[in-house]
Amino acid sequence: MNTVRLSTLKPGESATIAALHTDEALYHRLAAMGFRIGKRIDLVRRAKFAGPLHVRIGTTDIMLRRSDAQHIDVTPAGASE
Amino acid sequence: MKRIALLGMPNTGKSTFFNRLTGASARVGNWPGITVDLMSAKVLLGGAMVEIIDLPGVYDIHGFSDDELVVRHFIENNPIDLVLIILNTTQIERQLSLALQVKQLGLPALLLLNMADEAKKYGVTVDIKKMSQAMNMPVVLLSAKYGSGYAHAYQAISNAIQASLPIATQQVSEKLQLDDQIESTMESVLKQAVQVPTQMSENLTTRLDRVLLHPWLGLPLFFGVMYLLFQAIFILGKPLQDGVAWGLGLFRGGVLDPLLHNLPAPLPGLLLDGIYNGVGTVAAFVPIIVLFFLFMALVEDSGYLSRAAFLMDALMAKMGLDGRSFVMMLMGFGCNVPALMGTRVMRSRSLRLLTMLVIPFSLCSARLQVFVFITSALFAPKNAPLVLFSLYLFSFAAAIATALLFKKRYANNEPFILELPPYRLPTWRQIVLRGWHEVRHFLGRASKFIIAGVVMVWILTHFPQDAAPGGSDTWAGMIGHFLAPVLDPLGINQQLAIALIFGFVAKEIVIGSLAVIYGLEGSALMSTMAHQLDWVQAYSFMLFTLIYTPCLSTLATLKTESRSNAYTALALVWPLALAWLLSFAFYQGARALGY
């Protein structure tokens, strides 16, 4: 399976969360927002000027900075087959 | 008295529910073990008085954010008879973890599944009976905003609070250390009682976001919205402020003056120009604060504020701030006081403190009055707009420099991950209650400080009794004289120094104080100042006025919002130092260049 960083997904792409390489504080917040391994995540849009990412997990829309998204590995939909 | 704590994640309608339960009777108060204010109210529930506390919205009891620590310290230090857990039904899939954490602590709990109306639209269905069995606590489905299911919830809470016994805080404290198998319990509860559609349907929020967060249109739209908001607050606010001032003046002329003028010498002055003017200063802020929070409630509760954060984050992150800081800075250009109070939406303390340090540099409408007067007195009409514009640039530059300089000291260590909630229309009740609470907060906390400050400045500028008010023989004049070695290198003479002391109360009275100091008014004052000062001195004075210590009301707000004397001292001293440095550099530089 090919995993990539969440921060490299393009708008409209979907993926499955593969791993969270984060410290504890970030991990807690991500978990509370619904970031769990195996969950489907959609990248909705990226802000201009290297701004934050807008992602969707289930029924929740979330923004996170690219620097935080770098710690999240995902398997792009279609890459695992 | 029994005690109920209201707990929930952000954006779950927790405060709306709290307001519905408690009405306008809620107040802010201090609690053992924590350092922030919490709203609480005493209400009659099931035949007995019960105290209800609105805890901050948190994602996780075990987390590390400032708010999560507040919640943890609260439940460790204050016995609770019942925890009301309020969750957004649409997001029950992830929010149920909070309820399980409470259950694990062994606290008596009741689960409120809010936003039932929204969940229905999204196709999320919950089997209440099964959920209640699986969680082993009462579960109620409701919509706090529209009131459906509310009567049922009220009844369930009454029943639960009558039956509950408080748990010793010691036990809770011990259990907080543990953390196990919440994840697997959650899976099994969800499987039994909840149905969620696998794919989200296209809805209004997605469509609105496509426009409002558009790569190129998003930012111009944001600035358009901010401009309209700003105009609305201050165009509506100005006549209201004038109305309050007019009413207070009328009361003074018609009732207080005749009543008090027979009193011995310093008393009428102290009571009227000191204390009554202090009351007037406080009162002048009330309409602006009400309007500001009416509109802020609209922006915040609609979900647009988090979109603003998304749009502005790229730029603000470099300064250690976020997009919400930017909104408050912009609002500060109207008036710093409500903008400072508005920073409460930022839940990380360090981020808030940094934003509050930056806001007072925003060139507020009161300072603008001073600058308009002085530029029209000392600059040619064709240069005046340029002068004003340059002052706005200095205002931004001072804010950016301060943020960059202090971003290490107030480093925000909370991960910046925000929910973008669906767009929602807040109800009038929500909006009005917000404005009302904020004004009461301001009056309760800041008014004593402001009135004391106004009285102090009055005494400084009117004593000793035989000196002419505002003259060089008064105590203020002596301070001005004493400060001469510091202010002379800035080109600020003694009269202007006294005006700066007045200006500490409120920038609105600087021009009025100059009139008192020079004994002249209007165009006569303008021409005298134009004779006495050259443009370099005038610009130096304006720079100093722009940057030095914000008014007393701003300082009072900084103190009540930060609850720290050391921070308030920094917020007082740093702008003073920066103002002095900038004015010094400008004045000496201009003189060196031969102007």
Side-chain angles (χ1 to χ4, degrees), chain B residues 75-139:
Chain B
I75 55 184
E76 276 179 338
N77 290 299
N78 299 277
I80 300 168
D81 299 272
L82 180 68
V83 181
L84 294 180
I85 309 156
I86 188 153
L87 302 183
N88 175 354
T89 314
T90 317
Q91 301 178 347
I92 191 166
E93 240 193 320
R94 66 179 174 87
Q95 298 204 346
L96 196 64
S97 60
L98 191 66
L100 286 164
Q101 288 182 346
V102 173
K103 183 172 139 70
Q104 196 184 34
L105 295 180
L107 290 165
L110 188 148
L111 182 56
L112 298 166
L113 297 179
N114 195 19
M115 306 191 172
D117 47 322
E118 213 174 83
K120 211 170 176 182
K121 274 188 226 149
Y122 281 84
V124 179
T125 54
V126 181
D127 186 328
I128 295 297
K129 218 179 234 163
K130 281 187 184 155
M131 174 68 86
S132 178
Q133 273 167 11
M135 293 294 290
N136 195 20
M137 60 176 79
V139 179

Side-chain angles (χ1 to χ4, degrees), chain B residues 206-433:
Chain B
T206 328
R207 286 198 294 272
L208 273 174
D209 270 345
R210 206 168 288 153
V211 179
L212 294 174
L213 297 182
H214 187 275
W216 299 117
L217 288 178
L219 274 177
L221 276 173
F222 166 69
F223 284 109
V225 168
M226 284 298 116
Y227 180 77
L228 284 179
L229 206 66
F230 191 86
Q231 289 296 331
I233 293 172
F234 295 101
I235 284 174
L236 290 174
K238 190 77 184 113
L240 287 174
Q241 268 185 316
D242 291 346
V244 168
W246 179 78
L248 286 169
L250 216 59
F251 183 67
R252 176 177 174 163
V255 179
L256 292 178
D257 277 342
L259 205 67
L260 297 174
H261 85 278
N262 284 332
L263 291 174
L267 272 180
L270 176 67
L271 290 175
L272 291 171
D273 294 325
I275 295 173
Y276 192 67
N277 275 0
V279 173
T281 309
V282 173
F285 281 99
V286 169
I288 288 289
I289 292 176
V290 172
L291 278 172
F292 177 85
F293 281 103
L294 291 185
F295 283 101
M296 272 319 289
L298 197 68
V299 172
E300 196 188 334
D301 295 347
S302 68
Y304 191 60
L305 194 62
S306 20
R307 267 73 182 183
F310 179 81
L311 290 166
M312 288 302 299
D313 192 62
L315 199 67
M316 301 307 283
K318 292 190 180 66
M319 291 186 248
L321 297 168
D322 79 6
R324 293 166 300 176
S325 319
F326 185 78
V327 174
M328 297 308 153
M329 269 170 74
L330 279 185
M331 291 300 135
F333 280 90
C335 177
N336 293 174
V337 171
L340 288 169
M341 294 167 73
T343 59
R344 243 175 278 148
V345 295
M346 284 172 267
R347 302 307 316 183
S348 150
R349 183 170 163 84
S350 47
L351 179 60
R352 239 194 111 191
L353 292 183
L354 186 61
T355 307
M356 291 205 298
L357 202 57
V358 163
I359 287 174
F361 293 113
S362 294
L363 195 166
C364 67
S365 53
R367 274 173 268 187
L368 185 62
Q369 287 175 30
V370 181
F371 300 152
V372 167
F373 182 87
I374 293 180
T375 41
S376 53
L378 279 128
F379 291 88
K382 75 173 167 56
N383 291 335
L386 214 64
V387 170
L388 278 181
F389 182 70
S390 71
L391 287 168
Y392 275 102
L393 288 185
F394 270 112
S395 164
F396 269 109
I400 293 169
T402 299
L404 290 176
L405 208 65
F406 286 91
K407 76 173 181 183
K408 285 258 162 57
R409 189 188 156 108
Y410 296 106
N412 175 27
N413 41 21
E414 284 187 27
F416 189 69
I417 298 172
L418 271 189
E419 199 184 327
L420 298 170
Y423 291 102
R424 299 177 178 125
L425 267 183
T427 61
W428 272 105
R429 193 187 151 81
Q430 271 171 291
I431 296 179
V432 170
L433 265 178

Side-chain angles (χ1 to χ4, degrees), chain A residues 24-36 39-40 42 44-56 58-65 68, chain B residues 9 59-60 62-65 68 90-91 93-94 183 186 199-200 206 209-210 213 215-216 219 306 309-310 313-314 317 321-322 414-420:
Chain A
E24 212 178 340
L26 182 57
Y27 181 82
H28 269 280
R29 177 58 58 85
L30 287 173
M33 286 290 192
F35 285 78
R36 293 212 175 73
K39 276 263 178 192
R40 175 198 158 120
D42 301 321
V44 183
R45 60 172 56 81
R46 308 164 70 97
K48 285 278 161 205
F49 314 114
L53 309 177
H54 176 176
V55 300
R56 179 173 298 150
T59 49
T60 310
D61 280 24
I62 298 150
M63 67 170 277
L64 74 167
R65 287 189 175 147
D68 291 328
Chain B
M9 292 197 184
Y59 293 106
D60 190 337
H62 303 289
F64 302 98
S65 77
E68 286 158 351
T90 317
Q91 301 178 347
E93 240 193 320
R94 66 179 174 87
E183 200 117 328
M186 194 159 137
Q199 188 72 47
M200 279 263 290
T206 328
D209 270 345
R210 206 168 288 153
L213 297 182
W216 299 117
L219 274 177
S306 20
F310 179 81
D313 192 62
L321 297 168
D322 79 6
E414 284 187 27
F416 189 69
I417 298 172
L418 271 189
E419 199 184 327
L420 298 170

Side-chain angles (χ1 to χ4, degrees), chain B residues 441-489:
Chain B
H441 182 79
F442 173 75
L443 291 179
R445 290 287 165 87
S447 53
K448 283 185 221 106
F449 191 89
I450 295 172
I451 291 171
V454 173
V455 169
M456 195 189 77
V457 172
W458 184 83
I459 290 174
L460 283 180
T461 47
H462 287 75
F463 277 78
Q465 259 179 285
D466 48 350
S472 55
D473 297 332
T474 60
W475 287 335
M478 291 177 208
I479 295 174
H481 188 71
F482 177 75
L483 289 176
V486 184
L487 293 178
D488 280 347

